[in-house]
Amino acid sequence: MACLQLTGFMISCFGWIGIIVATATNEWVLTCKYGVSTCKKMDELGARGLWADCVISTALYHCKSLNQILTLPAYIQTARALMISASILGLPAILLVMMSLPCINLGSEPQSIKHKRSVLGGVLVLLVAFGGIISTVWFPIGVHRDSGLMTFGYSLYAGWIGAALCLFGGSVISCCSGDSPQYDEDRFYYAKQDEDTTASANQAKSAQV
């Protein structure tokens, strides 16, 4: 279980980094009516992201910021909100999972607390993954409806890979943490009580005989 938890933690870290890269960069989709090299020479290769519309050529990279929030399409506003939330939510998720690793001890806390912390961190990582998946799927669909022809940019690939890694890592952390130690202790306690009761009843019968 410790190896699976550590694996899920490392995968989730890489996935969170991918989400941050996708959020911070603007090459989500590339719009071009011809080949990419031809559009670069003609200054007609466009790149769209969450924060700017850019024009890419062989000697120029010019971007226009998307500052008018109220006039932006719904898919851009939604993708912004989800990706920012996923990037911020990833920090407490990673910290919770890290503090629940077997090699890290915070004082003399019981194992049940570490188990709950691990499960909560795994759920938060899954929320990060869902936010990335919704954004990276909805955004290119919205651009395709507005502009028609397009190709995917490296930012979108980073978001897809990051969301997939977070989904896998969060699933491993949430599902492979094992039973709660507190539950195991209670189960042992009640089993011990039953054994003692049975032993007492047998002794009473033997005494009567």
Side-chain angles (χ1 to χ4, degrees), residues 22-193:
T23 305
T25 53
N26 286 310
E27 290 191 23
W28 280 50
V29 294
L30 302 176
T31 57
C32 180
K33 297 180 181 179
Y34 316 102
V36 174
S37 59
T38 304
C39 287
K40 281 187 177 181
K41 294 178 181 179
M42 299 175 63
D43 294 341
E44 293 185 5
L45 179 61
R48 290 192 177 184
L50 301 178
W51 314 103
D53 285 342
C54 302
V55 176
I56 304 173
S57 65
T58 54
L60 178 67
Y61 192 97
H62 176 70
C63 293
K64 178 182 178 182
S65 300
L66 302 176
N67 296 324
Q68 299 178 353
I69 299 177
L70 298 179
T71 60
L72 293 176
Y75 67 89
I76 296 181
Q77 297 185 29
T78 305
R80 276 186 179 183
L82 289 175
M83 294 299 287
I84 292 175
S85 300
S87 299
I88 296 175
L89 194 62
L91 180 59
I94 294 300
L95 290 178
L96 285 172
V97 177
M98 182 178 65
M99 289 187 297
S100 65
L101 294 175
C103 57
I104 296 178
N105 295 318
L106 301 178
S108 58
E109 61 179 4
Q111 290 296 321
S112 59
I113 300 298
K114 297 188 71 171
H115 172 79
K116 293 178 181 179
R117 189 185 296 128
S118 176
V119 173
L120 178 59
V123 172
L124 292 180
V125 173
L126 289 176
L127 292 178
V128 172
F130 290 140
I133 290 172
I134 295 173
S135 301
T136 54
V137 170
W138 194 0
F139 189 91
I141 293 176
V143 174
H144 179 69
R145 290 178 178 176
D146 291 346
S147 304
L149 297 175
M150 66 171 189
T151 57
F152 301 140
Y154 77 90
S155 301
L156 200 63
Y157 287 116
W160 281 337
I161 295 173
L165 291 177
C166 285
L167 182 62
F168 180 72
S171 300
V172 170
I173 295 170
S174 301
C175 300
C176 300
S177 297
D179 294 333
S180 174
Q182 183 65 38
Y183 173 74
D184 292 338
E185 292 172 3
D186 293 341
R187 182 171 55 187
F188 174 77
Y189 172 77
Y190 289 119
K192 187 66 175 177
Q193 287 279 12

